[in-house]
Amino acid sequence: MKIRIGFIFGGDTVEHEVSIISAVQAMKNIDENKYEVVPIYITKDLRWLTGNLLKDINSYSDYDLINRYAKEITIVKDKEDYLLKSKKGLFNRTINQIDVAFPIVHGNNIEDGTIQGYLNLLKIPYVGSNILGSSVGQDKVFTKKILETANIKVVDYVWFYDYEYETNNQDIIKQIQTLEYPVIVKPATLGSSIGISLAKNEKQLKIAIEEAIKYDRKILVEKVIKNLKEVNCSVTGNYEHAFPSAIEEVIKEEDFLSYQDKYLAKGKSKGMVSTNRILPANISHEMKLKIEETSKEVFKQLNLSGVCRIDYLIDQDTNELYVNEPNTIPGSLSFYLWENKGKPYSQLLDELIIQTIKDYKNKMKKTSSFETNILQNFNGLKGSKTKLK
Ligand SMILES: Nc1ncnc2c1ncn2[C@@H]1O[C@H](COP(=O)(O)OP(=O)(O)O)[C@@H](O)[C@H]1O
Ligand SMILES: [Mg+2]
């Protein structure tokens, strides 16, 4: 029997559409002799839908069509089965069933441990990083702090909360000025370059911070690397093993790699695949080895698994390598970086699912609850004197 894979995508995130593109690419490339594709699309207003039309990218240009033909469901664990139950009508009809969940979601409120937590609670095996890795990887400030303790270089930075800026902006501006202009201002937990801007002086800095504050309560300001080369390396594996992919060099057309550069470079959106890139990157052999080693270490330090992409900034004046950020569920799952290393996309997906099933079985061997019910010998709460420990 085929293994049923529930591809979960969409959600209430600014990267909703990018997630649809990434998921449709994956659903098209999976080996259908071995796996059955079950699309599970979370709309922006958080309805969970399923149906074959959700495998086709053209369906998403007509939401009326989706509302009419896709079925609204909830996932229910029933003994060893994970059922997709219809939400309509008197009876809770089972529409479909999945064996493994494959979240292909990007951004805040979903990629950041949220969907992982939901799947954990239902005990569904799922592809990719656990809650901890996902949430740390989504927060650029936490990521930096962990990498610093592991002696992995990150660009100098200052961070603060919106209320701190709103109550005492002069102190914060002073702190930022120790980095020297130009600086780059980022919402700490977003992606796809949303809310990011460069500032060359105090006036621009204030505008940049106001912009970032629209998206996030936590703001990060970094020193700008002026003579920049940007490279990315994907990693697959789990807590025991990590394997680096080919390394790409990404080319920006604006001051920094924008949403436009990433997803719309060739006019029509194809997700991360449309970014202008040199593959493999134009770097020395030593730099390549350093990136591969660092990528494996970042993967391990941040508790990642599945397929991730680690993004780097190289200062070409000093030849210094800095980790910019991890992407715990990268756009297009970085399949092109694996294809370049000789691994077809279908094989990448196959390996990720096999790894997930193995890791799930190992995890289930660990004790998670006790058979005995300690409450059987519990005499009840005897008035207010009884202390619960
Ligand atoms: N410190 C920096 N110096 C120069 N350019 C930067 C720096 N940080 C980010 N950038 C540019 O901004 C882009 C987006 O920043 P990034 O931190 O990757 O945010 P996102 O999570 O939105 O992708 C990067 O791809 C790069 O082009
Ligand atoms: Mg980035």
Side-chain angles (χ1 to χ4, degrees):
M1 208 178 77
K2 289 185 189 177
I3 302 174
R4 291 156 295 202
I5 310 294
F7 284 93
I8 303 179
F9 54 99
D12 176 24
T13 141
V14 284
E15 293 169 281
H16 182 94
E17 284 77 13
V18 183
S19 147
I20 295 173
I21 296 170
S22 293
V24 170
Q25 281 168 346
M27 291 190 283
K28 285 241 171 315
N29 280 280
I30 198 164
D31 179 357
E32 294 210 56
N33 292 317
K34 191 166 172 188
Y35 300 107
E36 186 186 322
V37 170
V38 181
I40 301 173
Y41 170 50
I42 308 175
T43 61
K44 285 184 184 175
D45 57 358
L46 299 180
R47 287 173 306 122
W48 292 51
L49 305 177
T50 193
N52 275 335
L53 81 163
L54 299 170
K55 293 180 193 170
D56 183 357
I57 194 72
N58 296 314
S59 303
Y60 299 89
S61 49
D62 182 358
Y63 280 97
D64 283 345
L65 189 85
I66 290 181
N67 284 330
R68 211 170 326 138
Y69 295 110
K71 292 206 169 72
E72 189 165 352
I73 50 109
T74 42
I75 305 185
V76 175
K77 182 169 175 6
D78 183 4
K79 298 191 184 83
E80 297 307 307
D81 295 329
Y82 308 106
L83 309 177
L84 307 191
K85 294 271 195 185
S86 158
K87 283 185 79 176
K88 280 212 180 108
L90 275 179
F91 303 102
N92 242 343
R93 238 168 15 100
T94 300
I95 304 255
N96 212 335
Q97 195 170 333
I98 62 171
D99 302 302
V100 173
F102 200 140
I104 306 190
V105 290
H106 305 311
N108 235 340
N109 302 323
I110 190 150
E111 180 187 2
D112 57 356
T114 308
I115 192 81
Q116 290 80 7
Y118 187 70
L119 296 169
N120 255 22
L121 193 61
L122 289 169
K123 276 202 170 173
I124 303 180
Y126 58 89
V127 178
S129 298
N130 62 12
I131 301 174
L132 186 63
S134 305
S135 50
V136 170
Q138 189 69 30
D139 186 310
K140 292 184 199 306
V141 176
F142 268 117
T143 296
K144 278 181 187 277
K145 286 181 183 291
I146 289 171
L147 298 186
E148 280 173 327
T149 63
N151 287 324
I152 297 171
K153 278 217 151 105
V154 295
V155 179
D156 286 347
Y157 66 101
V158 166
W159 76 274
F160 52 90
Y161 286 120
D162 54 0
Y163 79 90
E164 294 177 292
Y165 180 77
E166 279 149 13
T167 49
N168 192 353
N169 70 359
Q170 276 316 313
D171 262 14
I172 285 169
I173 287 173
K174 248 189 231 151
Q175 256 189 64
I176 294 171
Q177 280 165 344
T178 62
L179 298 175
E180 290 175 10
Y181 293 110
V183 292
I184 185 161
V185 182
K186 309 175 178 180
T189 65
L190 253 68
S192 289
S193 301
I194 291 159
I196 295 187
S197 21
L198 281 183
K200 296 185 177 130
N201 51 47
E202 190 172 329
K203 188 174 165 216
Q204 290 180 0
L205 176 64
K206 286 181 175 163
I207 297 171
I209 294 174
E210 293 297 332
E211 178 62 18
I213 281 179
K214 282 185 201 160
Y215 296 97
D216 211 324
R217 290 189 290 197
K218 195 172 182 181
I219 308 298
L220 170 69
V221 182
E222 282 175 9
K223 197 179 164 72
V224 165
I225 309 254
K226 287 180 223 127
N227 191 2
L228 173 70
K229 190 193 274 279
E230 267 185 88
V231 295
N232 303 333
C233 179
S234 175
V235 183
T236 55
N238 62 358
Y239 82 105
E240 277 178 287
H241 312 285
F243 307 97
S245 71
I247 299 167
E248 66 174 332
E249 183 175 336
V250 285
I251 313 292
K252 53 194 176 148
E253 281 170 8
E254 298 173 32
D255 269 352
F256 55 88
L257 200 63
S258 62
Y259 191 85
Q260 175 82 21
D261 279 333
K262 284 176 182 166
Y263 307 119
L264 305 165
K266 290 181 188 120
K268 196 168 191 302
S269 184
K270 294 197 185 82
M272 268 307 281
V273 180
S274 60
T275 310
N276 289 318
R277 61 171 52 83
I278 303 170
L279 184 54
N282 193 6
I283 46 173
S284 67
H285 185 62
E286 293 74 53
M287 184 58 89
K288 175 176 178 274
L289 295 180
K290 191 169 179 186
I291 292 170
E292 288 174 348
E293 279 314 302
T294 312
S295 301
K296 290 195 282 182
E297 193 56 27
V298 171
F299 193 83
K300 178 180 158 191
Q301 291 293 335
L302 297 180
N303 221 318
L304 304 179
S305 47
V307 61
C308 303
R309 198 188 74 226
I310 317 296
D311 295 355
Y312 294 88
L313 307 170
I314 300 174
D315 185 336
Q316 298 188 94
D317 291 336
T318 59
N319 209 28
E320 197 67 70
L321 176 74
Y322 299 96
V323 172
N324 180 28
E325 56 162 355
N327 294 276
T328 54
I329 304 182
S332 301
L333 297 186
S334 297
F335 77 83
Y336 48 91
L337 296 178
W338 293 99
E339 257 180 15
N340 188 265
K341 227 182 169 177
K343 195 193 289 281
Y345 196 7
S346 63
Q347 189 185 334
L348 173 67
L349 294 167
D350 189 34
E351 288 177 6
L352 288 170
I353 295 164
I354 292 170
Q355 185 69 64
T356 300
I357 296 170
K358 261 195 206 155
D359 287 348
Y360 181 79
K361 283 186 179 157
N362 282 334
K363 191 178 156 199
M364 287 303 123
K365 285 185 199 150
K366 301 267 181 198
T367 308
S368 67
S369 62
F370 297 110
E371 289 291 321
T372 46
N373 179 3
I374 56 160
L375 295 182
Q376 269 169 359
N377 302 320
F378 186 65
N379 295 328
L381 295 171
K382 286 186 192 138
S384 56
K385 282 181 192 150
T386 309
K387 280 187 189 143
L388 277 176
K389 283 193 184 160

